[in-house]
Amino acid sequence: APAPVQVRDLDIAWSGERVLRSLSLEVVPNELLSIIGPANSGKSTFLKLLTGQIKPSIGEVTMK
């Protein structure tokens, strides 16, 4: 079965500057995902993308 969350070759740009670059991941059932990293590394931007608040500049997000 396909993973419920799939991110493929994701790029997000703000004002011409890429804030997320070439992100790909899958989250499968019963798997725990932690979003950690230093300040300004794109964590909040990625979560906004997953919740539909923003669209990717390039790439694809699938949630089932």
Side-chain angles (χ1 to χ4, degrees), residues 2-7 25-35 46 50 62:
V5 177
Q6 297 178 336
V7 176
L25 63 88
E26 290 184 349
V27 181
V28 297
N30 300 315
E31 182 175 68
L32 178 66
L33 173 68
S34 295
I35 309 293
F46 179 65
L50 287 182
T62 305

Side-chain angles (χ1 to χ4, degrees), residues 5-20:
V5 177
Q6 297 178 336
V7 176
R8 299 267 186 257
D9 301 319
L10 180 75
D11 279 22
I12 297 178
W14 294 114
S15 302
E17 182 178 338
R18 287 201 286 183
V19 294
L20 287 178

